[in-house]
PDB file of all heavy atoms in Angstrom:
ATOM      1  N   VAL A   1      92.246 110.639 101.219  1.00 96.00           N
ATOM      2  CA  VAL A   1      92.852 109.334 100.912  1.00 96.00           C
ATOM      3  C   VAL A   1      94.328 109.340 100.967  1.00 96.00           C
ATOM      4  O   VAL A   1      94.953 108.282 101.060  1.00 96.00           O
ATOM      5  CB  VAL A   1      92.348 108.787  99.524  1.00 96.00           C
ATOM      6  CG1 VAL A   1      90.851 108.480  99.583  1.00 96.00           C
ATOM      7  CG2 VAL A   1      92.673 109.764  98.412  1.00 96.00           C
ATOM      8  N   SER A   2      94.937 110.529 100.950  1.00 94.00           N
ATOM      9  CA  SER A   2      96.383 110.612 100.997  1.00 94.00           C
ATOM     10  C   SER A   2      96.764 112.023 101.475  1.00 94.00           C
ATOM     11  O   SER A   2      96.065 112.963 101.265  1.00 94.00           O
ATOM     12  CB  SER A   2      96.960 110.392  99.584  1.00 94.00           C
ATOM     13  OG  SER A   2      98.361 110.500  99.610  1.00 94.00           O
ATOM     14  N   GLU A   3      97.948 112.064 102.111  1.00 91.00           N
ATOM     15  CA  GLU A   3      98.445 113.343 102.599  1.00 91.00           C
ATOM     16  C   GLU A   3      99.951 113.387 102.363  1.00 91.00           C
ATOM     17  O   GLU A   3     100.671 112.427 102.649  1.00 91.00           O
ATOM     18  CB  GLU A   3      98.199 113.486 104.112  1.00 91.00           C
ATOM     19  CG  GLU A   3      98.734 114.759 104.682  1.00 91.00           C
ATOM     20  CD  GLU A   3      98.501 114.896 106.153  1.00 91.00           C
ATOM     21  OE1 GLU A   3      98.160 113.913 106.822  1.00 91.00           O
ATOM     22  OE2 GLU A   3      98.719 116.002 106.662  1.00 91.00           O
ATOM     23  N   SER A   4     100.369 114.520 101.821  1.00 90.00           N
ATOM     24  CA  SER A   4     101.839 114.765 101.698  1.00 90.00           C
ATOM     25  C   SER A   4     102.130 116.028 102.485  1.00 90.00           C
ATOM     26  O   SER A   4     101.232 116.586 103.109  1.00 90.00           O
ATOM     27  CB  SER A   4     102.232 114.921 100.227  1.00 90.00           C
ATOM     28  OG  SER A   4     101.727 116.146  99.724  1.00 90.00           O
ATOM     29  N   MET A   5     103.363 116.474 102.440  1.00 87.00           N
ATOM     30  CA  MET A   5     103.732 117.650 103.225  1.00 87.00           C
ATOM     31  C   MET A   5     102.925 118.901 102.782  1.00 87.00           C
ATOM     32  O   MET A   5     102.529 119.723 103.584  1.00 87.00           O
ATOM     33  CB  MET A   5     105.223 117.961 103.094  1.00 87.00           C
ATOM     34  CG  MET A   5     105.652 119.082 104.011  1.00 87.00           C
ATOM     35  SD  MET A   5     107.346 119.612 103.868  1.00 87.00           S
ATOM     36  CE  MET A   5     108.236 118.133 104.190  1.00 87.00           C
ATOM     37  N   ARG A   6     102.659 118.969 101.480  1.00 91.00           N
ATOM     38  CA  ARG A   6     102.023 120.219 100.944  1.00 91.00           C
ATOM     39  C   ARG A   6     100.621 120.010 100.378  1.00 91.00           C
ATOM     40  O   ARG A   6      99.984 120.981  99.975  1.00 91.00           O
ATOM     41  CB  ARG A   6     102.934 120.806  99.904  1.00 91.00           C
ATOM     42  CG  ARG A   6     104.218 121.327 100.494  1.00 91.00           C
ATOM     43  CD  ARG A   6     105.037 122.110  99.455  1.00 91.00           C
ATOM     44  NE  ARG A   6     106.160 122.736 100.104  1.00 91.00           N
ATOM     45  CZ  ARG A   6     107.394 122.214 100.136  1.00 91.00           C
ATOM     46  NH1 ARG A   6     107.596 121.068  99.548  1.00 91.00           N
ATOM     47  NH2 ARG A   6     108.330 122.859 100.721  1.00 91.00           N
ATOM     48  N   THR A   7     100.144 118.761 100.294  1.00 93.00           N
ATOM     49  CA  THR A   7      98.823 118.544  99.694  1.00 93.00           C
ATOM     50  C   THR A   7      97.997 117.486 100.454  1.00 93.00           C
ATOM     51  O   THR A   7      98.555 116.665 101.187  1.00 93.00           O
ATOM     52  CB  THR A   7      98.944 118.059  98.249  1.00 93.00           C
ATOM     53  OG1 THR A   7      99.559 116.785  98.220  1.00 93.00           O
ATOM     54  CG2 THR A   7      99.694 119.052  97.379  1.00 93.00           C
ATOM     55  N   LEU A   8      96.701 117.555 100.237  1.00 94.00           N
ATOM     56  CA  LEU A   8      95.797 116.488 100.657  1.00 94.00           C
ATOM     57  C   LEU A   8      95.165 115.973  99.378  1.00 94.00           C
ATOM     58  O   LEU A   8      94.805 116.762  98.459  1.00 94.00           O
ATOM     59  CB  LEU A   8      94.647 117.017 101.552  1.00 94.00           C
ATOM     60  CG  LEU A   8      94.980 117.451 102.945  1.00 94.00           C
ATOM     61  CD1 LEU A   8      93.700 117.920 103.639  1.00 94.00           C
ATOM     62  CD2 LEU A   8      95.640 116.332 103.730  1.00 94.00           C
ATOM     63  N   THR A   9      94.989 114.641  99.229  1.00 96.00           N
ATOM     64  CA  THR A   9      94.231 114.091  98.145  1.00 96.00           C
ATOM     65  C   THR A   9      92.894 113.693  98.664  1.00 96.00           C
ATOM     66  O   THR A   9      92.793 112.921  99.631  1.00 96.00           O
ATOM     67  CB  THR A   9      94.954 112.857  97.519  1.00 96.00           C
ATOM     68  OG1 THR A   9      96.285 113.309  97.108  1.00 96.00           O
ATOM     69  CG2 THR A   9      94.223 112.347  96.339  1.00 96.00           C
ATOM     70  N   VAL A  10      91.832 114.206  98.031  1.00 96.00           N
ATOM     71  CA  VAL A  10      90.480 114.005  98.498  1.00 96.00           C
ATOM     72  C   VAL A  10      89.750 113.167  97.455  1.00 96.00           C
ATOM     73  O   VAL A  10      89.723 113.490  96.280  1.00 96.00           O
ATOM     74  CB  VAL A  10      89.747 115.367  98.710  1.00 96.00           C
ATOM     75  CG1 VAL A  10      88.308 115.158  99.147  1.00 96.00           C
ATOM     76  CG2 VAL A  10      90.525 116.228  99.694  1.00 96.00           C
ATOM     77  N   ARG A  11      89.136 112.067  97.908  1.00 96.00           N
ATOM     78  CA  ARG A  11      88.351 111.246  97.014  1.00 96.00           C
ATOM     79  C   ARG A  11      86.953 111.801  96.970  1.00 96.00           C
ATOM     80  O   ARG A  11      86.247 111.860  97.998  1.00 96.00           O
ATOM     81  CB  ARG A  11      88.324 109.792  97.475  1.00 96.00           C
ATOM     82  CG  ARG A  11      87.472 108.917  96.560  1.00 96.00           C
ATOM     83  CD  ARG A  11      87.917 107.474  96.561  1.00 96.00           C
ATOM     84  NE  ARG A  11      89.252 107.407  95.985  1.00 96.00           N
ATOM     85  CZ  ARG A  11      90.107 106.441  96.331  1.00 96.00           C
ATOM     86  NH1 ARG A  11      89.808 105.546  97.225  1.00 96.00           N
ATOM     87  NH2 ARG A  11      91.327 106.415  95.798  1.00 96.00           N
ATOM     88  N   THR A  12      86.531 112.229  95.800  1.00 95.00           N
ATOM     89  CA  THR A  12      85.184 112.829  95.576  1.00 95.00           C
ATOM     90  C   THR A  12      84.370 111.911  94.670  1.00 95.00           C
ATOM     91  O   THR A  12      84.913 110.891  94.179  1.00 95.00           O
ATOM     92  CB  THR A  12      85.282 114.228  94.941  1.00 95.00           C
ATOM     93  OG1 THR A  12      85.726 114.049  93.583  1.00 95.00           O
ATOM     94  CG2 THR A  12      86.223 115.130  95.687  1.00 95.00           C
ATOM     95  N   ALA A  13      83.112 112.275  94.439  1.00 93.00           N
ATOM     96  CA  ALA A  13      82.291 111.494  93.542  1.00 93.00           C
ATOM     97  C   ALA A  13      82.844 111.548  92.110  1.00 93.00           C
ATOM     98  O   ALA A  13      82.566 110.638  91.315  1.00 93.00           O
ATOM     99  CB  ALA A  13      80.867 112.041  93.568  1.00 93.00           C
ATOM    100  N   ARG A  14      83.660 112.533  91.787  1.00 94.00           N
ATOM    101  CA  ARG A  14      84.238 112.687  90.466  1.00 94.00           C
ATOM    102  C   ARG A  14      85.682 112.251  90.392  1.00 94.00           C
ATOM    103  O   ARG A  14      86.400 112.633  89.472  1.00 94.00           O
ATOM    104  CB  ARG A  14      84.107 114.123  89.973  1.00 94.00           C
ATOM    105  CG  ARG A  14      82.689 114.566  89.843  1.00 94.00           C
ATOM    106  CD  ARG A  14      82.637 115.984  89.415  1.00 94.00           C
ATOM    107  NE  ARG A  14      81.487 116.164  88.574  1.00 94.00           N
ATOM    108  CZ  ARG A  14      81.345 117.099  87.691  1.00 94.00           C
ATOM    109  NH1 ARG A  14      82.314 117.942  87.489  1.00 94.00           N
ATOM    110  NH2 ARG A  14      80.256 117.181  86.970  1.00 94.00           N
ATOM    111  N   GLY A  15      86.176 111.522  91.410  1.00 95.00           N
ATOM    112  CA  GLY A  15      87.523 111.055  91.381  1.00 95.00           C
ATOM    113  C   GLY A  15      88.385 111.730  92.415  1.00 95.00           C
ATOM    114  O   GLY A  15      87.910 112.548  93.221  1.00 95.00           O
ATOM    115  N   ASP A  16      89.668 111.385  92.426  1.00 96.00           N
ATOM    116  CA  ASP A  16      90.583 111.950  93.431  1.00 96.00           C
ATOM    117  C   ASP A  16      91.081 113.308  92.971  1.00 96.00           C
ATOM    118  O   ASP A  16      91.432 113.506  91.805  1.00 96.00           O
ATOM    119  CB  ASP A  16      91.796 111.031  93.601  1.00 96.00           C
ATOM    120  CG  ASP A  16      91.434 109.703  94.254  1.00 96.00           C
ATOM    121  OD1 ASP A  16      90.263 109.552  94.670  1.00 96.00           O
ATOM    122  OD2 ASP A  16      92.278 108.833  94.356  1.00 96.00           O
ATOM    123  N   LYS A  17      91.083 114.266  93.907  1.00 96.00           N
ATOM    124  CA  LYS A  17      91.522 115.631  93.639  1.00 96.00           C
ATOM    125  C   LYS A  17      92.631 115.996  94.616  1.00 96.00           C
ATOM    126  O   LYS A  17      92.522 115.753  95.812  1.00 96.00           O
ATOM    127  CB  LYS A  17      90.369 116.641  93.802  1.00 96.00           C
ATOM    128  CG  LYS A  17      89.132 116.296  93.057  1.00 96.00           C
ATOM    129  CD  LYS A  17      89.329 116.420  91.558  1.00 96.00           C
ATOM    130  CE  LYS A  17      88.016 116.097  90.875  1.00 96.00           C
ATOM    131  NZ  LYS A  17      88.150 115.992  89.448  1.00 96.00           N
ATOM    132  N   ARG A  18      93.705 116.533  94.116  1.00 96.00           N
ATOM    133  CA  ARG A  18      94.830 116.950  94.951  1.00 96.00           C
ATOM    134  C   ARG A  18      94.641 118.446  95.284  1.00 96.00           C
ATOM    135  O   ARG A  18      94.522 119.257  94.354  1.00 96.00           O
ATOM    136  CB  ARG A  18      96.149 116.734  94.242  1.00 96.00           C
ATOM    137  CG  ARG A  18      97.320 117.037  95.144  1.00 96.00           C
ATOM    138  CD  ARG A  18      98.622 116.580  94.557  1.00 96.00           C
ATOM    139  NE  ARG A  18      98.642 115.118  94.571  1.00 96.00           N
ATOM    140  CZ  ARG A  18      99.356 114.382  93.795  1.00 96.00           C
ATOM    141  NH1 ARG A  18     100.160 114.941  92.896  1.00 96.00           N
ATOM    142  NH2 ARG A  18      99.313 113.088  93.842  1.00 96.00           N
ATOM    143  N   VAL A  19      94.648 118.774  96.580  1.00 95.00           N
ATOM    144  CA  VAL A  19      94.406 120.147  97.020  1.00 95.00           C
ATOM    145  C   VAL A  19      95.643 120.611  97.795  1.00 95.00           C
ATOM    146  O   VAL A  19      96.060 119.936  98.734  1.00 95.00           O
ATOM    147  CB  VAL A  19      93.130 120.200  97.915  1.00 95.00           C
ATOM    148  CG1 VAL A  19      92.894 121.644  98.330  1.00 95.00           C
ATOM    149  CG2 VAL A  19      91.945 119.601  97.191  1.00 95.00           C
ATOM    150  N   PRO A  20      96.194 121.749  97.423  1.00 94.00           N
ATOM    151  CA  PRO A  20      97.336 122.294  98.216  1.00 94.00           C
ATOM    152  C   PRO A  20      96.882 122.712  99.602  1.00 94.00           C
ATOM    153  O   PRO A  20      95.790 123.250  99.764  1.00 94.00           O
ATOM    154  CB  PRO A  20      97.818 123.491  97.375  1.00 94.00           C
ATOM    155  CG  PRO A  20      96.662 123.881  96.562  1.00 94.00           C
ATOM    156  CD  PRO A  20      95.832 122.651  96.324  1.00 94.00           C
ATOM    157  N   LYS A  21      97.713 122.482 100.609  1.00 91.00           N
ATOM    158  CA  LYS A  21      97.360 122.899 101.998  1.00 91.00           C
ATOM    159  C   LYS A  21      97.525 124.416 102.135  1.00 91.00           C
ATOM    160  O   LYS A  21      96.715 125.046 102.780  1.00 91.00           O
ATOM    161  CB  LYS A  21      98.278 122.196 102.977  1.00 91.00           C
ATOM    162  CG  LYS A  21      98.012 120.719 103.101  1.00 91.00           C
ATOM    163  CD  LYS A  21      98.988 120.112 104.096  1.00 91.00           C
ATOM    164  CE  LYS A  21      98.806 118.649 104.249  1.00 91.00           C
ATOM    165  NZ  LYS A  21      99.821 118.069 105.139  1.00 91.00           N
ATOM    166  N   GLU A  22      98.587 124.940 101.551  1.00 91.00           N
ATOM    167  CA  GLU A  22      98.867 126.377 101.711  1.00 91.00           C
ATOM    168  C   GLU A  22      97.765 127.183 101.043  1.00 91.00           C
ATOM    169  O   GLU A  22      97.396 126.959  99.900  1.00 91.00           O
ATOM    170  CB  GLU A  22     100.210 126.731 101.132  1.00 91.00           C
ATOM    171  CG  GLU A  22     100.588 128.154 101.438  1.00 91.00           C
ATOM    172  CD  GLU A  22     102.033 128.486 101.031  1.00 91.00           C
ATOM    173  OE1 GLU A  22     102.795 127.546 100.780  1.00 91.00           O
ATOM    174  OE2 GLU A  22     102.347 129.666 100.957  1.00 91.00           O
ATOM    175  N   GLY A  23      97.231 128.153 101.819  1.00 90.00           N
ATOM    176  CA  GLY A  23      96.213 129.034 101.254  1.00 90.00           C
ATOM    177  C   GLY A  23      94.827 128.405 101.216  1.00 90.00           C
ATOM    178  O   GLY A  23      93.910 128.984 100.610  1.00 90.00           O
ATOM    179  N   THR A  24      94.623 127.247 101.837  1.00 92.00           N
ATOM    180  CA  THR A  24      93.356 126.547 101.804  1.00 92.00           C
ATOM    181  C   THR A  24      92.830 126.332 103.226  1.00 92.00           C
ATOM    182  O   THR A  24      93.596 126.004 104.128  1.00 92.00           O
ATOM    183  CB  THR A  24      93.528 125.146 101.122  1.00 92.00           C
ATOM    184  OG1 THR A  24      94.075 125.329  99.813  1.00 92.00           O
ATOM    185  CG2 THR A  24      92.190 124.449 100.976  1.00 92.00           C
ATOM    186  N   THR A  25      91.505 126.519 103.392  1.00 91.00           N
ATOM    187  CA  THR A  25      90.893 126.254 104.660  1.00 91.00           C
ATOM    188  C   THR A  25      90.024 124.986 104.525  1.00 91.00           C
ATOM    189  O   THR A  25      89.140 124.945 103.657  1.00 91.00           O
ATOM    190  CB  THR A  25      90.012 127.438 105.104  1.00 91.00           C
ATOM    191  OG1 THR A  25      90.820 128.596 105.150  1.00 91.00           O
ATOM    192  CG2 THR A  25      89.346 127.219 106.426  1.00 91.00           C
TER     193      THR A  25
END
């Protein structure tokens, strides 16, 4: 639902979660 330089915000069944891009696949 949103993207910044270092994170993605993912809308899940339990709400929005911010996930760092670095170190994540």
